[in-house]
Amino acid sequence: MRLILLGPPGAGKGTQAQRLVAKHGIIQLSTGDMLRAAVAAGTPVGLQAKEVMASGGLVSDEIVISIISDRLDQPDMKNGFILDGFPRTVPQAAALDDLLKKKHIKLDAVVELRVNESALLQRVETRVAEMRARGEEVRIDDTPEELAKRLAQYRSLTEPLIHYYSERRKLLTVDGMMTIEQVTREINRILAAIGATEAKAAAKKALAKKAKPAKAVKKPAKAARKAAKGAKTAARRPAKAPRGKGNGRAAKPAKKLTKKRAKR
């Protein structure tokens, strides 16, 4: 199972990704985790990323794709993966498509968790108010203001991916405003339907291959064809006149006796 999870911040992608990992035995791929692992391992692409991050720059799409490429080659990827947080833009999605094509890896589905942004903001406001009431510290990136910025960024950069994957018939949309359990059940339902459809198509293909008619009998050998051709040619030729004795020439008619010889 190879999946991508799409959805704005707060849609519940992380929660659903963990449940899919537990159910299907697949690996959750986070670009942040992969970058840190590559840097710690000192791989060539990890060293490139380290140099960029040390200078305060943003790691390029090429470097991220290279890190994903290296990760996909690891043995634990045999059961599949879930990409959460990548791709974020259409160019990244196109680069990922090219990578998967080169590796002969099929992307099964892109699951979009669709939510109401106003409801998300209200959820965050309620959570922050409850935390403050309990005297707990609120993280800077977990405020309504910060969430509003992240939602705006999602709309401008990532939301176009919905159209991108819809055109490629990979997009499956789930109502992210349902309860966590309901969202999980719906995701499992549509993934099971995909699996059943693919199994049916594979069985049909195997049956068609098995029922394929036998190959035509090979043509006669070259010598046999030549003999047959010679027989046809001989049948078309006219019969020859009989030959005379001795020199092989046709027999000539006897000469008439001359008058002189007749008198004798």
Side-chain angles (χ1 to χ4, degrees):
M1 188 69 67
R2 299 167 182 88
L3 306 170
I4 291 175
L5 287 183
L6 283 182
K13 299 188 299 298
T15 300
Q16 296 303 325
Q18 291 172 6
R19 293 188 169 206
L20 287 166
V21 165
K23 181 176 178 62
H24 298 284
I26 55 182
I27 304 296
Q28 182 178 1
L29 298 181
S30 163
T31 50
D33 291 343
M34 285 187 287
L35 274 169
R36 286 186 286 273
V39 170
T43 64
V45 69
L47 294 176
Q48 292 180 39
K50 183 178 180 180
E51 185 177 346
V52 173
M53 290 187 290
S55 64
L58 293 175
V59 178
S60 67
D61 289 351
E62 290 78 12
I63 291 178
V64 174
I65 287 292
S66 295
I67 288 175
I68 293 174
S69 177
D70 290 347
R71 186 68 183 87
L72 292 177
D73 292 335
Q74 299 302 311
D76 62 349
M77 301 301 297
K78 61 180 180 179
N79 290 336
F81 59 81
I82 253 187
L83 274 168
D84 172 18
F86 189 91
R88 293 181 183 272
T89 64
V90 170
Q92 287 179 351
L96 179 63
D97 281 348
D98 290 341
L99 173 65
L100 295 179
K101 186 177 181 180
K102 288 177 183 177
K103 291 182 176 292
H104 304 288
I105 295 174
K106 179 188 175 186
L107 182 65
D108 293 302
V110 178
V111 180
E112 178 207 3
L113 299 181
R114 188 165 294 181
V115 297
N116 184 298
E117 291 187 7
S118 299
L120 282 181
L121 288 167
Q122 189 174 359
R123 282 181 185 177
V124 173
E125 289 173 354
T126 301
R127 183 169 67 246
V128 168
E130 290 173 350
M131 291 176 68
R132 285 174 175 163
R134 293 192 298 265
E136 298 175 3
E137 186 178 353
V138 179
R139 296 188 313 176
I140 297 176
D141 61 347
D142 196 21
T143 62
E145 295 78 17
E146 184 62 27
L147 178 59
K149 291 179 183 178
R150 292 168 66 194
L151 287 173
Q153 186 179 44
Y154 175 82
R155 283 194 301 271
S156 63
L157 293 178
T158 309
E159 206 167 60
L161 288 176
I162 295 172
H163 177 68
Y164 178 88
Y165 285 117
S166 178
E167 279 191 328
R168 286 154 182 76
R169 298 187 177 184
K170 293 291 183 183
L171 187 72
L172 300 168
T173 301
V174 175
D175 182 5
M177 300 307 296
M178 297 188 293
T179 65
I180 291 175
E181 293 297 333
Q182 288 173 328
V183 171
T184 300
R185 282 198 297 270
E186 181 62 13
I187 291 175
N188 288 334
R189 184 190 69 79
I190 59 180
L191 292 182
I194 290 174
T197 301
E198 290 183 349
K200 186 177 180 180
K204 187 177 180 180
K205 185 177 180 181
L207 185 63
K209 187 176 181 181
K210 188 176 180 181
K212 191 175 181 181
K215 292 183 178 180
V217 179
K218 290 185 177 181
K219 293 180 180 180
K222 187 176 180 180
R225 291 200 305 269
K226 189 174 181 181
K229 186 177 179 182
K232 289 181 180 179
T233 304
R236 288 196 296 265
R237 288 176 182 168
K240 291 185 177 180
R243 296 177 178 272
K245 295 181 180 179
N247 58 9
R249 294 180 182 178
K252 294 182 180 180
K255 292 183 179 180
K256 292 183 178 179
L257 295 174
T258 60
K259 291 181 178 181
K260 189 175 180 180
R261 292 179 63 185
K263 288 180 180 182
R264 290 180 185 176

